[in-house]
Amino acid sequence: MERLTEEQIVKAVEKAEGWKRDGKWIQRRYKFKEFMDGVHFVNRIAELSEEANHHPFISIDYRVVTLKLTSWHAGGLTDLDFELTAKYNEIYETL
Amino acid sequence: MERLTEEQIVKAVEKAEGWKRDGKWIQRRYKFKEFMDGVHFVNRIAELSEEANHHPFISIDYRVVTLKLTSWHAGGLTDLDFELTAKYNEIYETL
């Protein structure tokens, strides 16, 4: 999958609710009522990452889970990263 | 639980295999063969954290899980932090 152009990235970030650009990365902080809710979310994200063979950087800071995505093989952001932001948001909404 | 003295911290870090001091924090990087092995480890750590009501900062960077500990209420490191490093190491050894 090819790296997106600057223009494509700007448009894609606009559509990715809650996600912010950080150079070659995009990231979002997800907040939870309880620590274990965040842990359950991470488990869902992990399963999806294995299926997609694309693994975000994940951090758990008590009740806040941060996900960061980039495509190493492409040296930047690709369509796959933005497909995953949409899926991650969907999982968050259904929890 | 009271904050440990500098001398106590130095001794405790020496005994905590794989753990390094970083100011008010201690941290260790745990490596795994597979991404999901790291995720299972995080689940075990999360359960223990809930039981102890003491939550480390957790990050998952593909097959590397990093744990960071401090005691906010004490403004630094306490005995509890070092009790947990021993338990985390034990969980890692049994996986």
Side-chain angles (χ1 to χ4, degrees):
Chain A
M1 199 168 275
E2 278 185 27
R3 192 168 64 176
L4 297 174
T5 65
E6 193 58 33
E7 193 181 356
Q8 287 171 319
I9 292 170
V10 170
K11 278 187 189 168
V13 170
E14 272 174 24
K15 286 182 197 165
E17 202 191 325
W19 288 76
K20 286 184 189 169
R21 175 86 178 278
D22 181 14
K24 287 186 177 183
W25 295 81
I26 41 172
Q27 64 174 306
R28 180 171 172 183
R29 283 160 53 93
Y30 294 92
K31 295 181 185 175
F32 297 89
K33 281 194 185 163
E34 302 288 341
F35 171 73
M36 287 307 291
D37 295 339
V39 173
H40 294 314
F41 177 67
V42 167
N43 278 291
R44 296 285 305 278
I45 298 302
E47 286 164 25
L48 178 59
S49 304
E50 282 289 271
E51 284 167 25
N53 194 27
H54 197 67
H55 302 83
F57 176 87
I58 301 169
S59 71
I60 307 173
D61 192 357
Y62 196 35
R63 293 181 297 193
V64 177
V65 172
T66 303
L67 303 180
K68 288 179 68 174
L69 275 165
T70 195
S71 296
W72 294 109
H73 62 277
L77 293 160
T78 64
D79 277 332
L80 180 58
D81 294 307
F82 289 99
E83 281 168 26
L84 288 171
T85 62
K87 288 184 181 172
Y88 297 163
N89 283 356
E90 205 178 306
I91 290 172
Y92 182 66
E93 294 304 328
T94 59
L95 284 183
Chain B
M1 200 168 273
E2 278 186 27
R3 191 168 65 175
L4 298 174
T5 66
E6 194 57 33
E7 193 180 356
Q8 288 171 319
I9 292 171
V10 170
K11 278 188 190 168
V13 170
E14 272 174 25
K15 286 182 196 163
E17 202 191 323
W19 288 76
K20 286 183 187 169
R21 174 85 178 279
D22 181 15
K24 289 186 176 181
W25 296 82
I26 41 172
Q27 63 173 304
R28 179 171 173 183
R29 284 159 54 92
Y30 294 92
K31 295 181 186 177
F32 297 88
K33 282 194 184 163
E34 303 288 341
F35 171 74
M36 287 306 291
D37 295 339
V39 173
H40 294 314
F41 176 68
V42 167
N43 278 294
R44 296 285 304 278
I45 298 301
E47 286 163 25
L48 178 60
S49 305
E50 282 288 272
E51 284 167 26
N53 195 26
H54 197 65
H55 302 82
F57 176 86
I58 301 168
S59 72
I60 307 172
D61 192 357
Y62 195 35
R63 292 181 298 193
V64 177
V65 172
T66 303
L67 302 181
K68 289 178 69 173
L69 275 165
T70 196
S71 294
W72 294 110
H73 63 276
L77 293 159
T78 64
D79 277 332
L80 179 58
D81 294 306
F82 289 100
E83 281 168 26
L84 288 171
T85 63
K87 288 185 182 173
Y88 297 164
N89 283 357
E90 205 178 305
I91 291 172
Y92 182 65
E93 295 304 328
T94 59
L95 284 183

